[in-house]
Amino acid sequence: DVKVTQSSRYLVKRTGEKVFLECVQDMDHENMFWYRQDPGLGLRLIYFSYDVKMKEKGDIPEGYSVSREKKERFSLILESASTNQTSMYLCASSLVTANSPLHFGNGTRLTVT
Amino acid sequence: GESVGLHLPTLSVQEGDNSIINCAYSNSASDYFIWYKQESGKGPQFIIDIRSNMDKRQGQRVTVLLNKTVKHLSLQIAATQPGDSAVYFCAETRPKGYSTLTFGKGTMLLVSP
């Protein structure tokens, strides 16, 4: 089974802090994704990457950046956390072939105070 | 996560009933669809997928039906069990330069023993 592991289950950070969310997958998937999930809004794509050092903006990239230095690891960075970034963050990975399902981690619940 | 179910439509069924969860999609160019299940505190879990050249696909106790004429997708769960209680999302591939999945808001399924 594909395993997508997010390093933290819960995080509490202060406004203005730099925050790193880490994600590792063990199935040699080319594609990796970061979503946030909010009540009433569903899952929204922040950034994705289809190869090492490659990144593409999703629907809501503002306030975020990403890093993919190794194939198995995809990091989401909040340069200066704000309270409106309090959310559940979900990492996912998939094969590069068209129409491959995403496999998700169990999420990181981030609270910014 | 714990708050995923807030603001969602809810389907309540008795154990042993068949459940039907519906999803409308908006983009007639979408060519791949997935159903995910999300239990409380976990990330979305892949259930079944279907490509646009099919109108029905069956898995273990689940069937997905695709009606491209009215842009409608449904998930049928046979002999629903309490362990099926979760939020169910449909997702569609929307070509956006590089195809990515776009998720519906979800439906909460509650199964009573």
Side-chain angles (χ1 to χ4, degrees), chain B residues 19-76:
Chain B
S19 302
I20 300 176
I21 301 171
N22 297 304
C23 179
Y25 64 94
S26 57
N27 192 331
S28 57
S30 296
D31 60 359
Y32 177 59
F33 304 87
I34 306 177
W35 279 100
Y36 283 92
K37 172 186 180 183
Q38 187 173 21
E39 297 173 274
S40 181
K42 296 185 179 180
Q45 175 187 1
F46 171 83
I47 302 173
I48 192 168
D49 58 3
I50 188 167
R51 304 189 194 290
S52 58
N53 61 353
M54 304 170 68
D55 53 20
K56 180 179 180 179
R57 190 167 188 218
Q58 289 185 290
Q60 188 176 14
R61 279 203 307 121
V62 295
T63 301
V64 56
L65 299 177
L66 175 62
N67 185 330
K68 294 181 287 293
T69 303
V70 295
K71 292 186 284 193
H72 183 267
L73 195 66
S74 68
L75 177 71
Q76 300 178 359

Side-chain angles (χ1 to χ4, degrees), chain A residues 9-10 31 33 35 37 39-43 45 48 50 58-59 88 90 96 98-102 104-106 109, chain B residues 1-4 6-7 31-32 34 36 38 41-44 46 49 51 89 93 96 98 100-101 103-105:
Chain A
R9 195 63 191 272
Y10 299 95
N31 297 342
F33 305 81
Y35 287 84
Q37 185 175 34
L41 298 176
L43 281 85
L45 180 64
F48 65 98
Y50 51 90
D59 297 320
M88 171 68 83
L90 289 162
V96 72
N99 301 334
S100 295
L102 272 62
F104 284 87
N106 279 329
R109 179 162 294 282
Chain B
E2 299 86 337
S3 60
V4 165
L6 293 178
H7 314 301
D31 60 359
Y32 177 59
I34 306 177
Y36 283 92
Q38 187 173 21
K42 296 185 179 180
F46 171 83
D49 58 3
R51 304 189 194 290
F89 299 94
T93 299
K96 189 177 179 180
Y98 190 86
T100 59
L101 286 176
F103 290 82
K105 299 286 192 293

Side-chain angles (χ1 to χ4, degrees), chain A residues 74-104:
Chain A
F74 193 34
S75 303
L76 180 69
I77 304 156
L78 288 66
E79 294 288 340
S80 178
S82 63
T83 54
N84 64 10
Q85 292 178 310
T86 292
S87 186
M88 171 68 83
Y89 289 88
L90 289 162
C91 176
S93 71
S94 75
L95 293 169
V96 72
T97 49
N99 301 334
S100 295
L102 272 62
H103 298 270
F104 284 87

